[in-house]
Amino acid sequence: MLYSERLWVPIWWWGAGAAVAVLLAAEIHMGAPGIRAWLPYVVLLPLIAWALFAFSRLRVEVVAGATGAELRVGSAHLPLDMASKAAVVPGTAKSAALGRQLDPLAFVQHRTWVKQMVIVVLDDPDDPTPYWLISTKRPEELLAVLTAHGVEAR
């Protein structure tokens, strides 16, 4: 493992999610006796926790293997010998990179709560994907690992 990070949701989202779940459960409950009194809390609190945990599943990793280094983002993987260039996309340029400049064939793993991104341009004539656009909390570290394995930094 050369680089690894998990893109957790911000800690305050957990408090906000719990507050939303409790408010929704209280709306359903509204003083009714029986199953309507406790079932909304039992269902909604774990449901919100599961959703926030699911949002936090994305891992960005660079792994060294027998055939060379590989960039893994979630379940997708890219051998680094297929990548030609990489660059940091600052938070100020993120909306342009995801908006009017976005190629529809690009592989995008975006998380709203992460400000920076890294763009990895591919050099594979058999792959229609022009580049990968990845959210990362430590873009300089990821770029350093990529450049150490033959990817040109821009």
Side-chain angles (χ1 to χ4, degrees):
M1 186 77 54
L2 303 171
Y3 175 87
S4 179
E5 79 173 305
R6 188 169 184 163
L7 300 179
W8 290 98
V9 296
I11 195 76
W12 65 269
W13 281 31
W14 292 90
V20 167
V22 167
L23 284 173
L24 287 172
E27 283 290 322
I28 296 169
H29 172 211
M30 294 296 285
I35 197 166
R36 281 185 39 202
W38 57 268
L39 187 62
Y41 299 97
V42 171
V43 172
L44 290 175
L45 283 169
L47 185 66
I48 295 291
W50 173 83
L52 291 173
F53 187 74
F55 289 153
S56 300
R57 280 189 324 190
L58 186 67
R59 282 190 177 274
V60 178
E61 301 173 331
V62 178
V63 179
T67 60
E70 182 176 85
L71 173 63
R72 295 181 184 168
V73 180
S75 61
H77 58 89
L78 173 69
L80 290 184
D81 58 347
M82 298 294 176
S84 63
K85 299 177 212 156
V88 173
V89 177
T92 56
K94 184 169 121 174
S95 66
L98 290 170
R100 63 185 177 275
Q101 296 176 359
L102 182 67
D103 189 320
L105 296 176
F107 174 77
V108 179
Q109 284 294 326
H110 172 250
R111 296 298 182 257
T112 307
W113 58 90
V114 179
K115 300 273 187 253
Q116 304 92 358
M117 300 183 89
V118 168
I119 184 169
V120 180
V121 180
L122 304 186
D123 188 24
D124 184 4
D126 297 330
D127 191 352
T129 306
Y131 58 87
W132 283 25
L133 195 55
I134 308 158
S135 290
T136 177
K137 291 182 179 179
R138 302 184 326 249
E140 281 78 19
E141 288 180 43
L142 178 58
L143 190 61
V145 171
L146 293 175
T147 55
H149 288 86
V151 179
E152 180 186 344
R154 286 282 171 150

Tab-separated table of all heavy atoms in Angstrom, residues 80-137:
chain	number	residue	atom	x	y	z
A	80	LEU	N	-1.021	2.246	-13.364
A	80	LEU	CA	-0.390	3.552	-13.546
A	80	LEU	C	0.408	3.660	-14.832
A	80	LEU	O	0.720	4.765	-15.264
A	80	LEU	CB	0.486	3.898	-12.343
A	80	LEU	CG	-0.290	4.203	-11.064
A	80	LEU	CD1	0.649	4.622	-9.955
A	80	LEU	CD2	-1.345	5.257	-11.296
A	81	ASP	N	0.707	2.536	-15.486
A	81	ASP	CA	1.374	2.639	-16.783
A	81	ASP	C	0.406	3.092	-17.874
A	81	ASP	O	0.832	3.412	-18.983
A	81	ASP	CB	2.076	1.331	-17.158
A	81	ASP	CG	1.128	0.150	-17.210
A	81	ASP	OD1	-0.016	0.278	-16.730
A	81	ASP	OD2	1.538	-0.906	-17.729
A	82	MET	N	-0.883	3.134	-17.577
A	82	MET	CA	-1.884	3.654	-18.515
A	82	MET	C	-2.163	5.141	-18.300
A	82	MET	O	-2.924	5.741	-19.038
A	82	MET	CB	-3.209	2.887	-18.372
A	82	MET	CG	-3.110	1.445	-18.683
A	82	MET	SD	-2.723	1.230	-20.413
A	82	MET	CE	-2.542	-0.525	-20.488
A	83	ALA	N	-1.567	5.724	-17.258
A	83	ALA	CA	-1.770	7.142	-16.965
A	83	ALA	C	-0.572	7.932	-17.477
A	83	ALA	O	0.572	7.508	-17.331
A	83	ALA	CB	-1.928	7.348	-15.465
A	84	SER	N	-0.847	9.082	-18.090
A	84	SER	CA	0.258	9.888	-18.615
A	84	SER	C	0.536	11.119	-17.760
A	84	SER	O	1.685	11.441	-17.508
A	84	SER	CB	-0.023	10.315	-20.052
A	84	SER	OG	-1.161	11.143	-20.117
A	85	LYS	N	-0.504	11.822	-17.308
A	85	LYS	CA	-0.330	13.060	-16.547
A	85	LYS	C	-1.303	13.085	-15.380
A	85	LYS	O	-2.364	12.464	-15.437
A	85	LYS	CB	-0.606	14.278	-17.422
A	85	LYS	CG	0.279	14.423	-18.611
A	85	LYS	CD	-0.156	15.622	-19.440
A	85	LYS	CE	0.138	15.322	-20.887
A	85	LYS	NZ	-0.657	16.038	-21.814
A	86	ALA	N	-0.947	13.869	-14.383
A	86	ALA	CA	-1.832	14.074	-13.240
A	86	ALA	C	-1.634	15.497	-12.726
A	86	ALA	O	-0.542	16.059	-12.854
A	86	ALA	CB	-1.543	13.074	-12.132
A	87	ALA	N	-2.693	16.064	-12.185
A	87	ALA	CA	-2.619	17.427	-11.643
A	87	ALA	C	-3.649	17.591	-10.539
A	87	ALA	O	-4.666	16.898	-10.511
A	87	ALA	CB	-2.872	18.456	-12.742
A	88	VAL	N	-3.371	18.521	-9.656
A	88	VAL	CA	-4.300	18.866	-8.587
A	88	VAL	C	-5.320	19.859	-9.137
A	88	VAL	O	-4.968	20.803	-9.839
A	88	VAL	CB	-3.547	19.486	-7.397
A	88	VAL	CG1	-4.511	20.001	-6.344
A	88	VAL	CG2	-2.592	18.486	-6.795
A	89	VAL	N	-6.581	19.617	-8.829
A	89	VAL	CA	-7.650	20.560	-9.166
A	89	VAL	C	-8.035	21.237	-7.854
A	89	VAL	O	-8.628	20.604	-6.979
A	89	VAL	CB	-8.873	19.838	-9.787
A	89	VAL	CG1	-9.983	20.832	-10.061
A	89	VAL	CG2	-8.481	19.080	-11.030
A	90	PRO	N	-7.679	22.526	-7.680
A	90	PRO	CA	-8.003	23.196	-6.421
A	90	PRO	C	-9.510	23.395	-6.257
A	90	PRO	O	-10.272	23.305	-7.224
A	90	PRO	CB	-7.271	24.531	-6.531
A	90	PRO	CG	-7.069	24.744	-7.982
A	90	PRO	CD	-6.995	23.392	-8.624
A	91	GLY	N	-9.896	23.679	-5.030
A	91	GLY	CA	-11.310	23.888	-4.748
A	91	GLY	C	-11.930	25.014	-5.555
A	91	GLY	O	-13.115	24.981	-5.874
A	92	THR	N	-11.125	26.007	-5.920
A	92	THR	CA	-11.644	27.137	-6.694
A	92	THR	C	-11.951	26.757	-8.142
A	92	THR	O	-12.760	27.416	-8.789
A	92	THR	CB	-10.634	28.290	-6.692
A	92	THR	OG1	-9.378	27.812	-7.184
A	92	THR	CG2	-10.445	28.845	-5.287
A	93	ALA	N	-11.322	25.712	-8.651
A	93	ALA	CA	-11.546	25.284	-10.042
A	93	ALA	C	-12.433	24.054	-10.128
A	93	ALA	O	-12.690	23.550	-11.222
A	93	ALA	CB	-10.206	24.998	-10.716
A	94	LYS	N	-12.906	23.572	-8.993
A	94	LYS	CA	-13.693	22.339	-8.971
A	94	LYS	C	-15.009	22.469	-9.735
A	94	LYS	O	-15.384	21.573	-10.483
A	94	LYS	CB	-13.953	21.937	-7.524
A	94	LYS	CG	-14.679	20.630	-7.366
A	94	LYS	CD	-14.630	20.205	-5.910
A	94	LYS	CE	-15.993	20.056	-5.365
A	94	LYS	NZ	-16.024	19.519	-4.007
A	95	SER	N	-15.715	23.578	-9.576
A	95	SER	CA	-17.006	23.718	-10.261
A	95	SER	C	-16.829	23.770	-11.771
A	95	SER	O	-17.658	23.249	-12.516
A	95	SER	CB	-17.751	24.960	-9.762
A	95	SER	OG	-17.057	26.132	-10.116
A	96	ALA	N	-15.753	24.374	-12.250
A	96	ALA	CA	-15.486	24.398	-13.693
A	96	ALA	C	-15.124	23.005	-14.195
A	96	ALA	O	-15.568	22.584	-15.269
A	96	ALA	CB	-14.371	25.381	-14.018
A	97	ALA	N	-14.322	22.274	-13.402
A	97	ALA	CA	-13.917	20.923	-13.809
A	97	ALA	C	-15.100	19.970	-13.842
A	97	ALA	O	-15.141	19.051	-14.670
A	97	ALA	CB	-12.849	20.391	-12.871
A	98	LEU	N	-16.063	20.191	-12.966
A	98	LEU	CA	-17.246	19.320	-12.931
A	98	LEU	C	-18.392	19.866	-13.781
A	98	LEU	O	-19.398	19.194	-13.960
A	98	LEU	CB	-17.733	19.155	-11.491
A	98	LEU	CG	-16.830	18.341	-10.583
A	98	LEU	CD1	-17.291	18.455	-9.144
A	98	LEU	CD2	-16.792	16.893	-11.027
A	99	GLY	N	-18.237	21.063	-14.289
A	99	GLY	CA	-19.306	21.707	-15.056
A	99	GLY	C	-19.014	21.746	-16.528
A	99	GLY	O	-18.961	20.729	-17.199
A	100	ARG	N	-18.771	22.931	-17.007
A	100	ARG	CA	-18.652	23.132	-18.448
A	100	ARG	C	-17.440	22.464	-19.068
A	100	ARG	O	-17.409	22.220	-20.262
A	100	ARG	CB	-18.657	24.622	-18.762
A	100	ARG	CG	-17.512	25.387	-18.176
A	100	ARG	CD	-17.640	26.885	-18.423
A	100	ARG	NE	-16.562	27.611	-17.796
A	100	ARG	CZ	-16.535	28.006	-16.544
A	100	ARG	NH1	-17.566	27.737	-15.770
A	100	ARG	NH2	-15.505	28.667	-16.056
A	101	GLN	N	-16.396	22.173	-18.286
A	101	GLN	CA	-15.194	21.550	-18.834
A	101	GLN	C	-15.210	20.028	-18.726
A	101	GLN	O	-14.292	19.373	-19.209
A	101	GLN	CB	-13.958	22.096	-18.124
A	101	GLN	CG	-13.761	23.569	-18.348
A	101	GLN	CD	-12.585	24.104	-17.556
A	101	GLN	OE1	-11.919	23.393	-16.820
A	101	GLN	NE2	-12.324	25.395	-17.713
A	102	LEU	N	-16.217	19.452	-18.118
A	102	LEU	CA	-16.262	18.006	-17.892
A	102	LEU	C	-16.541	17.250	-19.183
A	102	LEU	O	-17.489	17.557	-19.903
A	102	LEU	CB	-17.338	17.666	-16.864
A	102	LEU	CG	-17.470	16.190	-16.501
A	102	LEU	CD1	-16.223	15.722	-15.759
A	102	LEU	CD2	-18.693	15.965	-15.651
A	103	ASP	N	-15.715	16.273	-19.474
A	103	ASP	CA	-15.933	15.384	-20.607
A	103	ASP	C	-16.939	14.320	-20.167
A	103	ASP	O	-16.769	13.703	-19.121
A	103	ASP	CB	-14.611	14.723	-21.012
A	103	ASP	CG	-14.714	13.950	-22.306
A	103	ASP	OD1	-15.742	13.277	-22.516
A	103	ASP	OD2	-13.767	14.013	-23.102
A	104	PRO	N	-17.987	14.063	-20.949
A	104	PRO	CA	-18.995	13.087	-20.534
A	104	PRO	C	-18.454	11.665	-20.396
A	104	PRO	O	-19.061	10.837	-19.728
A	104	PRO	CB	-20.047	13.136	-21.640
A	104	PRO	CG	-19.725	14.295	-22.487
A	104	PRO	CD	-18.348	14.743	-22.174
A	105	LEU	N	-17.326	11.370	-21.006
A	105	LEU	CA	-16.750	10.035	-20.913
A	105	LEU	C	-15.787	9.879	-19.736
A	105	LEU	O	-15.256	8.796	-19.510
A	105	LEU	CB	-16.017	9.687	-22.214
A	105	LEU	CG	-16.894	9.592	-23.457
A	105	LEU	CD1	-16.041	9.344	-24.686
A	105	LEU	CD2	-17.936	8.501	-23.297
A	106	ALA	N	-15.557	10.933	-18.992
A	106	ALA	CA	-14.606	10.890	-17.878
A	106	ALA	C	-15.146	10.029	-16.743
A	106	ALA	O	-16.355	9.925	-16.525
A	106	ALA	CB	-14.329	12.296	-17.374
A	107	PHE	N	-14.226	9.421	-16.004
A	107	PHE	CA	-14.569	8.676	-14.794
A	107	PHE	C	-14.486	9.659	-13.633
A	107	PHE	O	-13.430	10.234	-13.367
A	107	PHE	CB	-13.586	7.517	-14.588
A	107	PHE	CG	-13.782	6.786	-13.296
A	107	PHE	CD1	-14.822	5.891	-13.144
A	107	PHE	CD2	-12.927	6.997	-12.229
A	107	PHE	CE1	-15.003	5.215	-11.945
A	107	PHE	CE2	-13.097	6.331	-11.029
A	107	PHE	CZ	-14.143	5.438	-10.894
A	108	VAL	N	-15.602	9.888	-12.952
A	108	VAL	CA	-15.668	10.890	-11.886
A	108	VAL	C	-16.104	10.227	-10.584
A	108	VAL	O	-17.125	9.541	-10.543
A	108	VAL	CB	-16.654	12.023	-12.250
A	108	VAL	CG1	-16.738	13.042	-11.126
A	108	VAL	CG2	-16.258	12.687	-13.554
A	109	GLN	N	-15.314	10.437	-9.551
A	109	GLN	CA	-15.694	10.054	-8.195
A	109	GLN	C	-15.609	11.319	-7.354
A	109	GLN	O	-14.541	11.704	-6.883
A	109	GLN	CB	-14.766	8.964	-7.642
A	109	GLN	CG	-15.049	7.606	-8.202
A	109	GLN	CD	-16.419	7.097	-7.781
A	109	GLN	OE1	-16.909	7.355	-6.683
A	109	GLN	NE2	-17.048	6.373	-8.677
A	110	HIS	N	-16.747	11.973	-7.204
A	110	HIS	CA	-16.824	13.271	-6.545
A	110	HIS	C	-17.556	13.147	-5.217
A	110	HIS	O	-18.588	12.476	-5.130
A	110	HIS	CB	-17.561	14.246	-7.469
A	110	HIS	CG	-17.868	15.546	-6.835
A	110	HIS	ND1	-19.142	15.924	-6.515
A	110	HIS	CD2	-17.073	16.557	-6.429
A	110	HIS	CE1	-19.121	17.118	-5.955
A	110	HIS	NE2	-17.872	17.511	-5.887
A	111	ARG	N	-17.019	13.775	-4.217
A	111	ARG	CA	-17.678	13.888	-2.925
A	111	ARG	C	-17.819	15.365	-2.622
A	111	ARG	O	-16.840	16.113	-2.615
A	111	ARG	CB	-16.881	13.185	-1.825
A	111	ARG	CG	-16.771	11.681	-2.012
A	111	ARG	CD	-18.151	11.048	-1.978
A	111	ARG	NE	-18.141	9.609	-2.107
A	111	ARG	CZ	-18.441	8.950	-3.212
A	111	ARG	NH1	-18.744	9.616	-4.315
A	111	ARG	NH2	-18.454	7.647	-3.251
A	112	THR	N	-19.024	15.794	-2.362
A	112	THR	CA	-19.345	17.207	-2.180
A	112	THR	C	-18.546	17.843	-1.061
A	112	THR	O	-18.122	18.995	-1.165
A	112	THR	CB	-20.844	17.358	-1.882
A	112	THR	OG1	-21.580	16.697	-2.892
A	112	THR	CG2	-21.255	18.799	-1.830
A	113	TRP	N	-18.322	17.134	0.012
A	113	TRP	CA	-17.674	17.697	1.183
A	113	TRP	C	-16.147	17.756	1.071
A	113	TRP	O	-15.496	18.295	1.946
A	113	TRP	CB	-18.063	16.908	2.430
A	113	TRP	CG	-17.715	15.456	2.351
A	113	TRP	CD1	-16.547	14.873	2.754
A	113	TRP	CD2	-18.531	14.411	1.857
A	113	TRP	NE1	-16.576	13.535	2.524
A	113	TRP	CE2	-17.804	13.212	1.969
A	113	TRP	CE3	-19.809	14.350	1.315
A	113	TRP	CZ2	-18.307	11.983	1.569
A	113	TRP	CZ3	-20.297	13.123	0.924
A	113	TRP	CH2	-19.560	11.962	1.054
A	114	VAL	N	-15.590	17.245	-0.017
A	114	VAL	CA	-14.137	17.301	-0.230
A	114	VAL	C	-13.854	18.410	-1.235
A	114	VAL	O	-14.375	18.390	-2.353
A	114	VAL	CB	-13.603	15.943	-0.736
A	114	VAL	CG1	-12.107	16.017	-0.971
A	114	VAL	CG2	-13.944	14.834	0.244
A	115	LYS	N	-13.025	19.354	-0.868
A	115	LYS	CA	-12.794	20.530	-1.707
A	115	LYS	C	-11.897	20.252	-2.912
A	115	LYS	O	-12.159	20.710	-4.002
A	115	LYS	CB	-12.152	21.645	-0.875
A	115	LYS	CG	-12.995	22.081	0.291
A	115	LYS	CD	-13.963	23.142	-0.104
A	115	LYS	CE	-14.683	23.701	1.087
A	115	LYS	NZ	-16.036	23.297	1.202
A	116	GLN	N	-10.790	19.517	-2.716
A	116	GLN	CA	-9.816	19.332	-3.782
A	116	GLN	C	-10.076	18.052	-4.566
A	116	GLN	O	-10.706	17.133	-4.075
A	116	GLN	CB	-8.388	19.267	-3.219
A	116	GLN	CG	-7.987	20.441	-2.391
A	116	GLN	CD	-8.274	20.236	-0.915
A	116	GLN	OE1	-8.805	19.218	-0.510
A	116	GLN	NE2	-7.930	21.221	-0.117
A	117	MET	N	-9.514	18.036	-5.771
A	117	MET	CA	-9.604	16.852	-6.621
A	117	MET	C	-8.257	16.655	-7.311
A	117	MET	O	-7.426	17.552	-7.328
A	117	MET	CB	-10.707	17.016	-7.672
A	117	MET	CG	-12.079	17.218	-7.098
A	117	MET	SD	-13.346	17.321	-8.351
A	117	MET	CE	-13.756	15.596	-8.500
A	118	VAL	N	-8.086	15.475	-7.859
A	118	VAL	CA	-6.919	15.176	-8.682
A	118	VAL	C	-7.439	14.670	-10.018
A	118	VAL	O	-8.383	13.878	-10.068
A	118	VAL	CB	-6.010	14.121	-8.016
A	118	VAL	CG1	-4.963	13.597	-8.978
A	118	VAL	CG2	-5.340	14.705	-6.787
A	119	ILE	N	-6.846	15.157	-11.097
A	119	ILE	CA	-7.200	14.680	-12.432
A	119	ILE	C	-6.036	13.817	-12.924
A	119	ILE	O	-4.875	14.200	-12.802
A	119	ILE	CB	-7.498	15.844	-13.402
A	119	ILE	CG1	-7.963	15.305	-14.751
A	119	ILE	CG2	-6.323	16.777	-13.550
A	119	ILE	CD1	-8.531	16.362	-15.677
A	120	VAL	N	-6.361	12.627	-13.412
A	120	VAL	CA	-5.369	11.701	-13.958
A	120	VAL	C	-5.743	11.458	-15.415
A	120	VAL	O	-6.798	10.884	-15.706
A	120	VAL	CB	-5.347	10.371	-13.179
A	120	VAL	CG1	-4.316	9.426	-13.770
A	120	VAL	CG2	-5.076	10.615	-11.704
A	121	VAL	N	-4.897	11.914	-16.321
A	121	VAL	CA	-5.146	11.785	-17.761
A	121	VAL	C	-4.632	10.434	-18.227
A	121	VAL	O	-3.497	10.054	-17.921
A	121	VAL	CB	-4.462	12.924	-18.547
A	121	VAL	CG1	-4.721	12.788	-20.035
A	121	VAL	CG2	-4.944	14.272	-18.037
A	122	LEU	N	-5.472	9.709	-18.970
A	122	LEU	CA	-5.103	8.370	-19.435
A	122	LEU	C	-4.393	8.430	-20.780
A	122	LEU	O	-4.615	9.327	-21.583
A	122	LEU	CB	-6.349	7.496	-19.555
A	122	LEU	CG	-7.211	7.342	-18.306
A	122	LEU	CD1	-8.304	6.344	-18.543
A	122	LEU	CD2	-6.384	6.950	-17.112
A	123	ASP	N	-3.581	7.408	-21.011
A	123	ASP	CA	-2.853	7.264	-22.265
A	123	ASP	C	-3.067	5.843	-22.780
A	123	ASP	O	-2.119	5.097	-22.990
A	123	ASP	CB	-1.368	7.547	-22.035
A	123	ASP	CG	-0.594	7.599	-23.344
A	123	ASP	OD1	-1.223	7.864	-24.381
A	123	ASP	OD2	0.628	7.372	-23.307
A	124	ASP	N	-4.331	5.478	-22.956
A	124	ASP	CA	-4.687	4.141	-23.417
A	124	ASP	C	-5.596	4.282	-24.637
A	124	ASP	O	-6.741	4.699	-24.511
A	124	ASP	CB	-5.407	3.378	-22.302
A	124	ASP	CG	-5.721	1.948	-22.662
A	124	ASP	OD1	-5.318	1.501	-23.750
A	124	ASP	OD2	-6.377	1.268	-21.848
A	125	PRO	N	-5.114	3.934	-25.831
A	125	PRO	CA	-5.939	4.104	-27.035
A	125	PRO	C	-7.171	3.198	-27.058
A	125	PRO	O	-8.142	3.498	-27.747
A	125	PRO	CB	-4.983	3.770	-28.181
A	125	PRO	CG	-3.872	3.018	-27.562
A	125	PRO	CD	-3.788	3.419	-26.128
A	126	ASP	N	-7.172	2.121	-26.280
A	126	ASP	CA	-8.317	1.205	-26.263
A	126	ASP	C	-9.400	1.621	-25.276
A	126	ASP	O	-10.484	1.053	-25.272
A	126	ASP	CB	-7.840	-0.211	-25.915
A	126	ASP	CG	-6.895	-0.763	-26.958
A	126	ASP	OD1	-7.043	-0.384	-28.141
A	126	ASP	OD2	-6.011	-1.558	-26.593
A	127	ASP	N	-9.104	2.590	-24.431
A	127	ASP	CA	-10.051	3.030	-23.412
A	127	ASP	C	-10.659	4.359	-23.835
A	127	ASP	O	-9.946	5.334	-24.049
A	127	ASP	CB	-9.324	3.186	-22.075
A	127	ASP	CG	-10.275	3.375	-20.904
A	127	ASP	OD1	-11.488	3.539	-21.133
A	127	ASP	OD2	-9.793	3.359	-19.759
A	128	PRO	N	-11.992	4.451	-23.939
A	128	PRO	CA	-12.615	5.721	-24.331
A	128	PRO	C	-12.607	6.771	-23.218
A	128	PRO	O	-12.908	7.930	-23.466
A	128	PRO	CB	-14.044	5.314	-24.689
A	128	PRO	CG	-14.300	4.096	-23.880
A	128	PRO	CD	-12.973	3.379	-23.774
A	129	THR	N	-12.256	6.369	-21.996
A	129	THR	CA	-12.219	7.305	-20.878
A	129	THR	C	-11.001	8.217	-21.011
A	129	THR	O	-9.869	7.740	-20.980
A	129	THR	CB	-12.141	6.539	-19.542
A	129	THR	OG1	-13.204	5.602	-19.492
A	129	THR	CG2	-12.218	7.476	-18.364
A	130	PRO	N	-11.202	9.534	-21.141
A	130	PRO	CA	-10.053	10.425	-21.324
A	130	PRO	C	-9.273	10.679	-20.031
A	130	PRO	O	-8.063	10.854	-20.061
A	130	PRO	CB	-10.676	11.710	-21.845
A	130	PRO	CG	-12.071	11.682	-21.326
A	130	PRO	CD	-12.472	10.241	-21.258
A	131	TYR	N	-9.988	10.732	-18.897
A	131	TYR	CA	-9.317	11.016	-17.631
A	131	TYR	C	-10.186	10.585	-16.463
A	131	TYR	O	-11.375	10.324	-16.615
A	131	TYR	CB	-8.965	12.502	-17.498
A	131	TYR	CG	-10.134	13.454	-17.600
A	131	TYR	CD1	-10.891	13.798	-16.492
A	131	TYR	CD2	-10.483	14.035	-18.814
A	131	TYR	CE1	-11.955	14.670	-16.580
A	131	TYR	CE2	-11.534	14.910	-18.919
A	131	TYR	CZ	-12.263	15.231	-17.792
A	131	TYR	OH	-13.316	16.099	-17.893
A	132	TRP	N	-9.535	10.481	-15.310
A	132	TRP	CA	-10.215	10.232	-14.044
A	132	TRP	C	-10.177	11.520	-13.243
A	132	TRP	O	-9.142	12.178	-13.157
A	132	TRP	CB	-9.513	9.139	-13.251
A	132	TRP	CG	-9.770	7.745	-13.725
A	132	TRP	CD1	-10.127	7.350	-14.976
A	132	TRP	CD2	-9.663	6.562	-12.947
A	132	TRP	NE1	-10.249	6.001	-15.022
A	132	TRP	CE2	-9.968	5.484	-13.784
A	132	TRP	CE3	-9.331	6.304	-11.632
A	132	TRP	CZ2	-9.965	4.167	-13.352
A	132	TRP	CZ3	-9.325	4.990	-11.202
A	132	TRP	CH2	-9.639	3.946	-12.044
A	133	LEU	N	-11.290	11.877	-12.626
A	133	LEU	CA	-11.407	13.045	-11.767
A	133	LEU	C	-11.841	12.543	-10.393
A	133	LEU	O	-12.949	12.019	-10.250
A	133	LEU	CB	-12.425	14.027	-12.357
A	133	LEU	CG	-12.457	15.441	-11.842
A	133	LEU	CD1	-11.091	16.109	-11.955
A	133	LEU	CD2	-13.490	16.242	-12.597
A	134	ILE	N	-10.951	12.691	-9.405
A	134	ILE	CA	-11.127	12.019	-8.119
A	134	ILE	C	-11.072	13.024	-6.979
A	134	ILE	O	-10.139	13.831	-6.910
A	134	ILE	CB	-9.996	10.995	-7.906
A	134	ILE	CG1	-9.877	10.063	-9.100
A	134	ILE	CG2	-10.190	10.218	-6.625
A	134	ILE	CD1	-8.523	9.426	-9.195
A	135	SER	N	-12.024	12.975	-6.076
A	135	SER	CA	-11.971	13.780	-4.854
A	135	SER	C	-10.926	13.189	-3.921
A	135	SER	O	-10.826	11.970	-3.781
A	135	SER	CB	-13.325	13.771	-4.141
A	135	SER	OG	-14.279	14.489	-4.859
A	136	THR	N	-10.152	14.060	-3.279
A	136	THR	CA	-9.151	13.616	-2.316
A	136	THR	C	-8.883	14.728	-1.308
A	136	THR	O	-8.878	15.903	-1.662
A	136	THR	CB	-7.840	13.182	-3.004
A	136	THR	OG1	-6.896	12.824	-2.003
A	136	THR	CG2	-7.270	14.251	-3.888
A	137	LYS	N	-8.691	14.340	-0.067
A	137	LYS	CA	-8.391	15.323	0.966
A	137	LYS	C	-6.910	15.665	1.008
A	137	LYS	O	-6.527	16.675	1.575
A	137	LYS	CB	-8.835	14.789	2.333
A	137	LYS	CG	-10.335	14.697	2.459
A	137	LYS	CD	-10.739	14.227	3.823
A	137	LYS	CE	-12.250	14.162	3.919
A	137	LYS	NZ	-12.710	13.681	5.217
